[in-house]
Amino acid sequence: SQQGEEDPQALSIQEGENATMNCSYKTSINNLQWYRQNSGRGLVHLILIRSNEREKHSGRLRVTLDTSKKSSSLLITASRAADTASYFCATASLIQGAQKLVFGQGTRLTINP
Amino acid sequence: DAGVIQSPRHEVTEMGQEVTLRCKPISGHDYLFWYRQTMMRGLELLIYFNNNVPIDDSGMPEDRFSAKMPNASFSTLKIQPSEPRDSAVYFCASRDREGTEAFFGQGTRLTVV
């Protein structure tokens, strides 16, 4: 079974608005990562937040992590049409001395011009 | 580095045939992951290796699936015999150490008819 669950499954907003996606997980993690996937392509890493961090920024991206609630959110500010893609959270957990990386189902984001 | 290289990009095969998917990770990366992506099940972790050793293969759906990593620069995922429900996009990803991002290949789109 997959670790992360994204919410919502699909999100459609107007260009310029902010987009917020949420991720919940079930077990202890070492870090949580967000990836983006354009249609028909591989996933591309966006940002990583460690379990001892609460918030991280990268350009127009802001990620928060609440380990007590086992949840994370990804905020994309001032959205652009080019941000249209699927976004996935991935949890990294230490299993048998090695770090496993498990992805959620993803949120399909559509930015309308 | 050219990134993670997967071959073939597309594969169409008849039910019952053997299928071999190939992956060349980024040089120097210690981890290699195999994922399967479908609309119904999302992105599933099939198996991952650390320093060429399989760590967790609990995601491999059936005995028909097998994966090997004979050396640090090459891995294969084999399906024998293939079935129509194996149709999916198979991704390979590599990572250099714990706590870092994963780099994905472009995927192999497998269609079993």
Side-chain angles (χ1 to χ4, degrees):
Chain A
S1 64
Q2 296 303 300
Q3 168 78 302
E5 294 290 336
E6 283 92 340
D7 167 50
Q9 291 188 347
L11 178 63
S12 181
I13 61 174
Q14 294 300 120
E15 194 167 21
E17 294 180 340
N18 296 340
T20 299
M21 289 160 273
N22 303 298
C23 169
S24 59
Y25 57 93
K26 298 176 182 175
T27 64
S28 297
I29 62 171
N30 296 99
N31 65 70
L32 187 143
Q33 305 175 28
W34 285 90
Y35 288 77
R36 165 193 169 127
Q37 183 182 34
N38 287 86
S39 181
R41 309 293 295 273
L43 280 73
V44 175
H45 180 264
L46 294 175
I47 193 166
L48 180 153
I49 186 165
R50 303 190 191 284
S51 59
N52 61 354
E53 297 177 312
R54 292 296 168 259
E55 187 171 313
K56 203 161 184 180
H57 298 255
S58 177
R60 294 184 295 114
L61 305 180
R62 173 178 168 253
V63 170
T64 62
L65 179 64
D66 187 334
T67 53
S68 65
K69 295 181 179 178
K70 291 187 167 55
S71 67
S72 172
S73 67
L74 172 67
L75 169 68
I76 303 175
T77 61
S79 63
R80 305 167 182 169
D83 294 329
T84 295
S86 292
Y87 292 81
F88 295 84
C89 70
T91 53
S93 306
L94 203 59
I95 305 290
Q96 299 179 35
Q99 205 172 71
K100 186 175 185 175
L101 193 62
V102 177
F103 286 79
Q105 297 286 339
T107 293
R108 184 180 299 276
L109 175 65
T110 302
I111 308 298
N112 302 302
Chain B
D1 200 310
V4 177
I5 300 173
Q6 291 186 245
S7 64
R9 289 294 308 277
H10 302 273
E11 176 83 27
V12 180
T13 190
E14 292 185 347
M15 183 174 64
Q17 296 297 306
E18 175 181 303
V19 176
T20 299
L21 310 182
R22 296 173 176 80
C23 175
K24 179 178 176 3
I26 293 173
S27 177
H29 279 192
D30 295 336
Y31 285 84
L32 185 140
F33 302 84
W34 280 102
Y35 294 91
R36 177 173 70 175
Q37 187 175 38
T38 61
M39 289 294 293
M40 290 297 295
R41 294 187 297 270
L43 197 63
E44 303 172 278
L45 175 62
L46 300 178
I47 184 172
Y48 73 106
F49 297 83
N50 180 218
N51 293 321
N52 311 339
V53 176
I55 302 300
D56 184 352
D57 65 354
S58 60
M60 297 285 261
E62 298 171 37
D63 291 344
R64 299 183 295 106
F65 286 69
S66 63
K68 293 182 180 179
M69 192 164 186
N71 57 62
S73 59
F74 184 65
S75 177
T76 59
L77 178 67
K78 184 178 293 186
I79 308 173
Q80 180 185 22
S82 58
E83 296 182 3
R85 60 195 167 117
D86 301 332
S87 297
V89 180
Y90 291 80
F91 287 102
C92 174
S94 71
R95 187 180 72 198
D96 66 351
R97 64 184 189 281
E98 296 167 4
T100 61
E101 66 190 272
F103 293 82
F104 279 74
Q106 291 300 303
T108 294
R109 182 174 296 277
L110 173 65
T111 303
V112 183
V113 298

